[in-house]
């Protein structure tokens, strides 16, 4: 059981189960009433997102025994004890053993709601911190997530999942900052080659005189400075993946040799005549249109066609504008956990400015801004704060109804992000009935869990 705002209420007295249950339900809690403690224990797991309220003195398993059982499952699940006359010292001792709080009979509805509300907030914070730690571990490990819900990203995700498990070489095309290197690593980590090396080389960041030796390696004495034998990147990637970034910058003379490697799956080190068989996958990436470069003679046509067996186009951020609030929240959560800083609330106006910006630096620019925003808070200025808000993401020429829909979606995204995915707080800030909000979230394909990190 993991639904948020769930209260498991355990008491052998049916009158207390009824009255306390009704009090909680009127405040929009989901109440699961149990007569016996052992039944309540079967409903719990470490993902339980709610609160447990239990009487102490009950036949069979007591409330204190239930507390011990809950602690064994997850010591951070809040347990609130209902105490009778003479149980106070026992309850205080239980708090030392991990109980969240206790309520003395007879108790008022307001007291019950106040204690449960505080316990629920504590549980939500605990689970959010766990998710953040998991997210940081995922980010530090190879293979980042593909985040986004727009059609462009859904199509990208489907294509990558289809291709990742195959042995096919891949050509990634995308503007600067769209995440070509991260997508290459994602493909590698979701392929059968994940246990072997992922080797990346930037073809545009290396002198032409060194790149051939870097890729192919060399024998001792192959040239003046070759004092020892050196294994090249091709061999180092044996069994794994070689990522060639900015392949449009590769010298034409080396393109010929790369084509031979792709066709023969073998190399010769510089200074050697011995063929070394290769079992590698090559992922190439370019920010330039290689087809145009091939037509103008800037890139070899035969190499382009050989690389273009599987081509994946990464959409620029402006073409997936509705993903921007989700991505910003994701990067802000990572920065918050890394720097141990709270995330300042992001206003609807600023969220609209994020969506309206053209993002020439794409996802890299957005991530840097989110990190700066967490560090500086409200003092952080967006470089485009003083620019007039314009429509973006393909909105030009669309009718009023479409623009109203997009603005509605943006507002809901902003409030979900501001409240960490809390439906209750989003309802209050937007002043909407629960059913209306759920209907609109379904209409706009929004999931509250996407805003919890």
């Amino acid at each position: 059981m993991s639904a948020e705002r769930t209260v498991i209420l355990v008491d052998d007295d049916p009158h207390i189960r009824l009255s306390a249950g009704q009090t909680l339900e009127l405040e929009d809690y989901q109440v699961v009433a149990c007569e016996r403690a052992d039944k309540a224990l079967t409903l719990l797991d470490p993902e339980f997102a709610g609160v447990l309220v239990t009487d102490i003195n009950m036949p069979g398993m007591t409330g204190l025994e239930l507390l011990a059982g809950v602690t064994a499952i997850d010591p951070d699940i809040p347990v609130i004890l209902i105490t009778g006359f003479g149980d106070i010292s026992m309850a205080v001792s239980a708090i030392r053993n991990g109980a969240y709080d206790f309520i003395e009979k007879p108790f008022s509805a307001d007291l019950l709601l106040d204690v449960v509300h505080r316990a629920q907030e504590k549980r939500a914070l605990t689970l959010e911190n766990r998710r953040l730690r998991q997210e940081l571990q995922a980010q530090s490990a190879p293979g980042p997530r593909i985040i986004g819900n727009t059609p462009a990203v859904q199509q990208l995700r489907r294509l990558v999942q289809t291709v990742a498990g195959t042995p096919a070489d891949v050509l990634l095309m995308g503007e600067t900052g769209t995440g070509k290197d991260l997508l290459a690593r994602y493909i590698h980590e979701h392929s059968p080659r994940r246990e072997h090396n992922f080797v990346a080389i930037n073809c545009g960041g290396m002198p032409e005189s060194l790149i051939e030796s870097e890729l192919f390696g060399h024998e001792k004495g192959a040239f003046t400075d070759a004092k020892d034998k050196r294994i090249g990147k091709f061999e180092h990637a044996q069994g794994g993946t070689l990522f060639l970034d900015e392949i449009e910058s590769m010298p034409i003379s080396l393109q010929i040799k790369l084509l031979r490697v792709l066709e023969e799956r073998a190399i010769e080190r510089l200074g050697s005549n011995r063929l070394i068989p290769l079992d590698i996958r090559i992922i190439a990436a370019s920010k330039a249109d290689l087809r145009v470069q091939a037509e103008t003679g800037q890139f070899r046509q035969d190499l382009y066609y050989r690389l273009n067996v599987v081509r994946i186009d990464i959409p620029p951020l402006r073409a997936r504008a509705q993903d921007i609030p989700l991505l910003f929240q994701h990067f802000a959560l990572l920065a918050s956990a890394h720097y141990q800083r709270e995330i300042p609330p992001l206003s609807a106006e600023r969220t609209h400015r994020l969506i309206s910006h053209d993002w020439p630096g794409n996802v890299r620019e957005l991530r840097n801004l989110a990190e700066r925003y967490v560090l500086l808070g409200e003092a952080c200025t967006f470089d485009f704060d003083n620019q007039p808000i314009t429509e973006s993401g393909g909105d030009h020429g669309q009718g009023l109804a479409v623009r109203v829909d997009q603005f509605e979606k943006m507002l809901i995204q902003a409030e979900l992000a501001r409240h960490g995915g809390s439906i209750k707080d989003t309802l209050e800030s937007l002043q909407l009935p629960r059913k209306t909000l759920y209907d609109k979230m379904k209409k706009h394909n929004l999931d509250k869990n996407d805003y919890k990190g």
Side-chain angles (χ1 to χ4, degrees):
M1 180 181 296
S2 60
E4 62 180 13
R5 292 184 64 78
T6 295
V7 177
I8 296 178
L9 178 62
V10 188
D11 201 304
D12 61 322
D13 187 333
H15 299 294
I16 291 181
R17 291 201 306 272
L18 179 61
S19 60
Q22 288 178 342
T23 296
L24 292 164
E25 286 174 347
L26 286 171
E27 288 297 310
D28 208 24
Y29 286 98
Q30 300 175 41
V31 178
V32 180
C34 299
E35 183 180 359
R36 301 189 322 273
D38 54 349
K39 179 183 177 183
L41 209 54
T42 65
L43 301 175
L44 298 174
D45 60 47
E47 297 302 313
F48 175 64
V51 176
L52 186 140
V53 180
T54 181
D55 192 14
I56 289 183
N57 290 314
M58 294 181 293
M61 179 182 284
T62 68
L64 296 181
E65 290 171 334
L66 175 58
L67 170 63
V70 172
T71 302
I73 294 171
D74 182 351
D76 294 321
I77 293 176
V79 176
I80 300 168
L81 300 173
I82 299 176
T83 66
F85 180 75
D87 292 338
I88 301 301
S89 61
M90 188 187 303
V92 171
S93 175
I95 287 178
R96 294 195 187 101
N97 292 327
Y100 176 76
D101 205 343
F102 66 90
I103 303 172
E104 187 178 5
K105 296 178 183 177
F107 52 85
S108 67
D110 287 342
L111 176 60
L112 174 64
L113 291 172
D114 177 62
V115 177
V116 168
H117 176 69
R118 286 188 285 107
Q120 177 66 64
E121 285 188 334
K122 181 177 184 294
R123 183 59 175 168
L125 182 61
T126 297
L127 293 179
E128 180 181 357
N129 287 337
R130 285 183 189 173
R131 284 190 290 268
L132 282 172
R133 286 194 294 270
Q134 291 168 357
E135 184 68 32
L136 283 172
Q137 289 170 0
Q139 286 296 316
S140 62
R145 292 161 49 193
I146 301 175
I147 298 173
N149 298 314
T150 53
V153 174
Q154 290 175 357
Q155 181 180 354
L156 173 67
R157 190 181 290 115
R158 285 193 297 268
L159 179 57
V160 168
Q161 289 171 349
T162 300
V163 169
T166 73
D169 295 331
V170 178
L171 175 61
L172 303 178
M173 302 283 285
E175 296 177 5
T176 298
T178 50
K180 296 184 289 295
D181 52 342
L182 298 181
L183 189 59
R185 186 173 284 278
Y186 181 97
I187 293 171
H188 171 75
E189 288 299 322
H190 289 79
S191 77
R193 298 179 177 273
R194 69 179 68 89
E195 300 300 325
H196 299 278
N197 289 336
F198 175 85
V199 181
I201 186 166
N202 189 318
C203 301
M206 188 172 297
E208 183 175 342
S209 57
L210 294 180
I211 191 170
E212 185 173 1
S213 172
E214 190 73 17
L215 283 174
F216 292 88
H218 59 254
E219 297 289 348
K220 181 179 180 180
F223 48 87
T224 304
D225 294 327
K227 298 178 181 178
D228 296 294
K229 180 176 75 173
R230 188 179 191 283
I231 300 298
K233 298 295 186 183
F234 280 118
E235 283 186 80
H236 188 51
Q238 189 73 273
T241 303
L242 178 67
F243 175 52
L244 298 174
D245 199 8
E246 296 189 26
I247 196 170
E248 73 275 11
S249 303
M250 180 176 282
I252 293 289
S253 60
L254 196 56
Q255 291 179 28
I256 300 171
K257 296 183 178 181
L258 175 59
L259 178 62
R260 182 183 173 189
V261 172
L262 289 171
E263 292 177 340
E264 297 182 0
R265 296 291 159 168
I267 62 163
E268 294 176 6
R269 295 194 197 115
L270 297 181
S272 170
N273 294 320
R274 184 172 67 88
L275 279 177
I276 301 172
L278 291 179
D279 173 22
I280 64 172
R281 175 189 222 166
I282 290 182
I283 301 178
S286 174
K287 63 179 179 292
D289 190 331
L290 289 187
R291 182 181 61 82
V292 173
Q293 290 207 334
E295 290 173 351
T296 58
Q298 297 172 276
F299 196 84
R300 288 188 63 92
Q301 284 194 347
D302 46 6
L303 178 57
Y304 166 69
Y305 291 125
R306 182 63 185 78
L307 289 170
N308 199 36
V309 176
V310 177
R311 170 173 166 168
I312 298 177
D313 291 284
I314 306 175
L317 195 53
R318 62 182 175 277
R320 44 182 297 211
Q322 298 307 315
D323 284 331
I324 290 173
L326 176 59
L327 283 164
F328 185 88
Q329 177 73 2
H330 170 74
F331 294 139
L333 283 168
L334 294 179
S336 172
H338 181 70
Y339 294 111
Q340 297 294 302
R341 303 287 287 271
E342 293 293 324
I343 304 174
L346 192 67
S347 68
E349 181 184 0
R350 275 197 152 183
T351 302
H352 194 194
R353 289 188 179 277
L354 289 177
I355 294 174
S356 302
H357 183 48
D358 282 341
W359 298 104
N362 290 293
V363 176
R364 184 183 297 134
E365 181 185 357
L366 178 65
R367 180 167 192 159
N368 290 343
L369 177 61
E371 186 168 332
R372 191 164 70 245
Y373 183 71
V374 169
L375 284 171
L376 301 180
E378 290 298 321
C380 173
T381 58
F382 294 0
D383 294 338
F384 43 86
D385 263 343
N386 297 322
Q387 297 176 6
I389 295 178
T390 59
E391 298 297 333
S392 67
D395 295 344
H396 301 287
Q398 294 182 341
L400 177 62
V402 173
R403 295 188 183 190
V404 169
D405 261 5
Q406 291 172 340
F407 190 71
E408 176 184 83
K409 179 178 180 180
M410 178 272 295
L411 283 175
I412 297 173
Q413 285 179 310
E415 292 307 310
L416 284 170
R418 190 158 69 94
H419 298 298
S422 168
I423 295 296
K424 180 176 181 293
D425 293 338
T426 301
L427 286 171
E428 292 175 355
S429 61
L430 292 175
Q431 299 181 14
L432 288 175
R434 179 175 290 268
K435 184 178 184 305
T436 302
L437 177 60
Y438 275 124
D439 287 345
K440 291 183 180 297
M441 288 174 63
K442 183 177 180 182
K443 169 186 173 184
H444 296 302
N445 194 28
L446 300 177
D447 184 343
K448 66 183 179 184
N449 294 315
D450 288 335
Y451 300 88
K452 294 180 179 180

